Amino acid sequence: MADALQLQEYRTPGGAAQSLYEQKKSRFIGQLFPAADQQQVDALLAQVRKQHREARHHTYAYRLRTDHVERSSDDGEPQGTAGRPILEVLQKAQITDALLVVTRYFGGVLLGASGLLRAYSKAASLAVAGADIITMCTCIDCVLTVPYNLYGVIQNMLPGYTLQISDTRFEVDVTLALTVKGSDYQRLVDEVTERTDGRVVPKKIKSHFSYL
């Protein structure tokens, strides 16, 4: 996984999602959660164990951008039949800052190692398929102070960029607060500066990850 500070964008769940898969009377409940750090992962695992306290296994995998963490657990299932295939589902979908748990209620019929692997992978894949996966990108907050006679010029330019206007104030000048996709920012600076003859130059406030 690339260094978190160098990522331009990443995919992550926009919210929790759940799936149900049955195989030979065993029920596999897949749950995908957004999780930004180890503390959130631990809290969510405790929540799932409490919610399904009668289940035999709570297998899981998670990926975090912080410290490039990738971990999985078979939680008592034969080694390599649960945690690893769940992790591979996250990796294949390129999802990070996420926890994927598959809870198993044993139905009395043994599935064998290959059957378990397929069942856990299927339940995990169904949870991901049903989730709202969003792309977080590097964004830059900036402010434009625009004379009124140039406001129309700026208004006509902005639709050509991936951005959000968070605030507009009409005072001595027009002040626009923008969140701009990082890959668009320098192009915006260059065009604004050129088309206003240097009278308007975006003032950078901060960089961060956001969903646009």
Side-chain angles (χ1 to χ4, degrees), residues 18-192:
Q18 181 171 306
S19 68
L20 175 61
Y21 177 69
E22 295 191 16
Q23 180 70 17
K24 294 183 179 179
K25 299 183 180 180
S26 281
R27 285 191 299 140
F28 296 84
I29 301 171
Q31 296 186 80
L32 178 67
F33 303 95
D37 54 40
Q38 188 67 53
Q39 184 176 2
Q40 287 188 358
V41 167
D42 294 341
L44 288 166
L45 284 172
Q47 172 184 310
V48 171
R49 291 182 178 121
K50 183 178 180 180
Q51 179 185 8
H52 297 286
R53 65 184 67 193
E54 296 181 0
R56 178 170 290 193
H57 303 283
H58 302 289
T59 66
Y60 62 87
Y62 60 92
R63 303 179 76 210
L64 303 175
R65 289 181 304 121
T66 304
D67 298 328
H68 312 168
V69 173
E70 291 188 334
R71 291 184 184 139
S72 62
S73 170
D74 295 311
D75 193 35
E77 293 284 30
Q79 185 176 358
T81 62
R84 185 64 197 177
I86 295 171
L87 179 59
E88 288 175 354
V89 169
L90 289 177
Q91 292 171 332
K92 184 177 180 181
Q94 298 181 329
I95 294 172
T96 190
D97 277 5
L99 166 68
L100 182 50
V101 186
V102 179
T103 296
R104 181 189 182 194
Y105 284 89
F106 182 54
V109 179
L110 296 175
L111 300 181
S114 61
L116 285 173
L117 192 153
R118 287 193 297 270
Y120 277 110
S121 181
K122 181 68 173 180
S125 296
L126 287 173
V128 169
D132 176 23
I133 305 301
I134 61 176
T135 299
M136 302 290 285
C137 61
T138 303
C139 293
I140 295 175
D141 291 344
C142 65
V143 173
L144 276 65
T145 302
V146 185
Y148 281 90
N149 65 327
L150 294 174
Y151 182 50
V153 174
I154 299 299
Q155 278 186 308
N156 291 334
M157 286 174 42
L158 296 185
Y161 296 86
T162 302
L163 55 81
Q164 290 179 345
I165 302 174
S166 57
D167 190 28
T168 303
R169 297 184 182 180
F170 296 92
E171 299 172 328
V172 176
D173 293 309
V174 182
T175 303
L176 298 170
L178 309 177
T179 298
V180 186
K181 187 174 182 180
S183 57
D184 279 0
Y185 181 70
Q186 189 56 53
R187 182 166 65 91
L188 176 69
V189 171
D190 293 343
E191 186 176 1
V192 167

